[in-house]
């Protein structure tokens, strides 16, 4: 490095050291944020106190049966919840004013 004196080299080294420190701090913050988000997403939900829930809360507890209702199946035929007992059931409710629901509807 012809024409570069020790003072200039020292300034360049200081600039690089500060940039390196900023990069390490940014990486540490990113890793911490991802770890906290993962912890929050993977942690089981806390149950609400009984007084803070509606009367339907009892049906959502383990060992309690879902209310026996009859819904329209994809084939247009009625399906009662009691006929599905012992099987995994996924209910997907849509709302006509919901953009995401309208996007999903054709599928």
């Amino acid at each position: 490095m012809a024409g570069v004196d020790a003072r200039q080299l020292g300034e360049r080294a200081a600039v690089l050291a500060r940039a390196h420190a900023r990069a390490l701090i940014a990486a540490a913050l990113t890793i911490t944020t991802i770890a906290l988000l993962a912890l929050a997403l993977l942690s089981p939900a806390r149950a609400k106190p009984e007084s803070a829930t509606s009367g339907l809360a009892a049906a959502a507890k383990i060992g309690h049966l879902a209310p026996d209702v009859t819904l329209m199946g994809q084939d247009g035929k009625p399906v009662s919840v009691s006929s599905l007992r012992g099987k995994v059931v996924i209910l997907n409710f849509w709302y006509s004013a919901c953009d995401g629901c309208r996007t999903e509807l054709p599928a």
Side-chain angles (χ1 to χ4, degrees), residues 1-2 6 13-14 22 37 40 49 51-52 59 63 76 80-82 88-89 92 96-97 107:
M1 295 189 160
R22 283 193 297 269
L37 285 172
S51 61
S80 68
V81 173
S82 61
V88 175
V89 178
N92 189 1
S96 61

Side-chain angles (χ1 to χ4, degrees), residues 10-20 22:
E11 289 173 2
R12 287 183 184 175
V15 168
L16 288 174
R18 285 192 298 273
H20 184 69
R22 283 193 297 269

Side-chain angles (χ1 to χ4, degrees), residues 46-98:
R46 293 186 181 138
K48 294 180 181 178
E50 197 65 39
S51 61
T53 59
S54 68
L56 296 176
K61 292 183 181 176
I62 294 174
H64 288 247
L65 301 177
D68 189 21
V69 295
T70 301
L71 305 170
M72 199 61 66
Q74 287 181 330
D75 57 1
K77 297 179 183 175
V79 178
S80 68
V81 173
S82 61
S83 70
L84 302 171
R85 203 164 314 280
K87 299 178 182 176
V88 175
V89 178
I90 298 173
L91 298 176
N92 189 1
F93 293 96
W94 293 341
Y95 175 56
S96 61
C98 167

Side-chain angles (χ1 to χ4, degrees), residues 24-40:
L24 286 176
I25 291 170
L29 287 173
T30 302
I31 290 169
T32 303
T33 302
I34 291 170
L36 289 173
L37 285 172
L39 179 65

